[in-house]
Amino acid sequence: MEKLVISGPTPLKGEVEISGAKNAAVAILPATLLINGVCTINNIPNISDVRLLCTILEKMGAKIVWNTPNEITIDTRHINTTQAPLDLTSKFRASYYLIGAMLGRKGEIEVGMPGGCKLGARPIDQHIKGFELLGANVRTENGTIYAKANGLNGAPIYMDIVSVGATINVMLAAVLAKGTTIIDNAAKEPHIVDVANFLNTMGADIRGAGTDVIKINGVSELTGNKTYSVVPDQIEAGTFMLAAIASKGDLLIKNCITKHLESLTAKIVEIGGNVEDNGDSIRVWYSKRPNKAIIKTLPYPGFPTDLQPQMGVVLSTANGTSIINESIWESRFQYTEELNKMGAHITAQGKSAIFEGVDELFGAPVYSSDLRAGAALIIAGIAATGKTEVYNLEHIDRGYENIENKFRKIGANIERVSE
Ligand code: EPZ
């Protein structure tokens, strides 16, 4: 078993390069199944979810060549099965995108129920509702999803809840359907726009991604023969922005789209942090103890739930009492128990948590419960006095490329150690 051993406190200083967006890449890879051709994807994050998806696609008949650690060429002309390897698909969340893509490509798929971070109930009823409105038949038996359609026909689909996954999945299924599909009450995250841009680059006809109404005019096929570059990861960028404040540092975060971070930037300024927005990079630095804040996570462009734990670290040593309301997930405060082991004073109750700011955190052995909780605990270890050991790194490696090297390059005293 591996752990990260961190000694603090260390103010993080210097420049950090942001990788391609995990939540775009894990949708774009399944989307290649819609292409009867070859395409190249660069700026792809080299994370375990991406490598796992490549393994799944190869087992389904795709040919993948890694041109560099962050660029692949994928040939999906010879997909030879409608069954995704059930033992692999339950290891992460994004396997559910195989349903929309394979319904579009082959009209059929058998795939295990998706796994992913334990954040409470993670139903997929809106995905299924969309597929059924397009004409598919979907049933779940013994943890396996069977979806089948004799041709898909475009339809108007109103999402009962704003859902990133359902919006992308229905978009995938609609791309090759006959006629026009309208997704209303769609999610607007930057990774949804990126998936739409990828598909349009390969020959699809999708308009309105990034707004709450997306229109997809079905086309007969996607031919590929193009190269696409994945959008920078706004959640990774935000993670380092909050690390700059939590560690009393000064960071220049490069290769990001600052427009995607407006809700976080506003909050950092509100609590007394300093921000210099250069469009494709952003400088964030600490000058005084953060003020207390009230945070409510919301779908984009609201404050992202995927930055909630990282903000929690900042608020645990802010001036006064802060509150976080987590409106997206039922259970995304497990990390607060770990921060309390480090001397924080947090009371989590259901979808809300109260942070009574303490003067400092102290190193301790802590356990990551999910991807972003893990990132938060790394930040806490860098800011805390003493030695911190972060366990359950498999969660972190799913979504952050070379995490300890990136932190070490900006001054962190951090080592990955095998127990
Ligand atoms: C995506 O999850 C991300 N994962 C999550 O990021 C992120 O937290 C979430 O979007 C919200 O931004 C990937 O993109 C792989 P949702 P997803 O469907 O698509 C409810 C990370 O750290 N809902 O937008 O699963 C759901 O329970 C991960 O990178 C239904 O009720 O999230 C939740 O309350 C963690 N029925 C809300 O909608 C459905 O059919 C939003 O979920 C679908 C969702």
Side-chain angles (χ1 to χ4, degrees), residues 22-23 26 93 96-97 119 121-127 161-165 189 305-306 328-329 332 371-372:
K22 159 188 172 281
N23 291 342
V26 297
R93 187 87 194 138
Y96 57 26
Y97 291 134
L119 305 171
R122 297 188 76 174
I124 59 167
D125 57 300
Q126 297 300 302
H127 302 238
I161 188 164
V162 175
S163 160
V164 170
E189 273 70 3
T305 174
D306 293 347
I328 307 289
W329 298 113
R332 192 166 210 171
L371 167 59
R372 308 301 175 185

Side-chain angles (χ1 to χ4, degrees), residues 282-352:
I282 191 164
R283 181 187 166 215
V284 179
W285 69 101
Y286 171 97
S287 50
K288 69 178 183 61
R289 184 176 183 180
N291 309 318
K292 64 186 179 183
I294 294 179
I295 305 284
K296 183 171 176 55
T297 64
L298 285 169
Y300 189 86
F303 190 93
T305 174
D306 293 347
L307 289 174
Q308 186 261 95
Q310 301 91 313
M311 176 56 92
V313 177
V314 171
L315 298 180
S316 60
T317 56
N319 235 334
T321 299
S322 302
I323 299 172
I324 295 184
N325 293 309
E326 169 58 62
S327 75
I328 307 289
W329 298 113
E330 286 165 3
S331 163
R332 192 166 210 171
F333 287 119
Q334 299 100 307
Y335 72 95
T336 59
E337 290 156 38
E338 302 306 301
L339 291 185
N340 285 342
K341 287 182 198 168
M342 300 174 74
H345 198 156
I346 309 165
T347 311
Q349 189 80 36
K351 293 184 116 177
S352 293

Side-chain angles (χ1 to χ4, degrees), residues 35 53 58 62 83 128 147 171 187 246 250 252 286 338 397:
I35 300 168
L53 261 171
E58 285 174 323
Q83 185 180 62
I128 292 171
M171 193 161 70
D250 182 342
L252 179 63
Y286 171 97
E338 302 306 301
D397 293 335

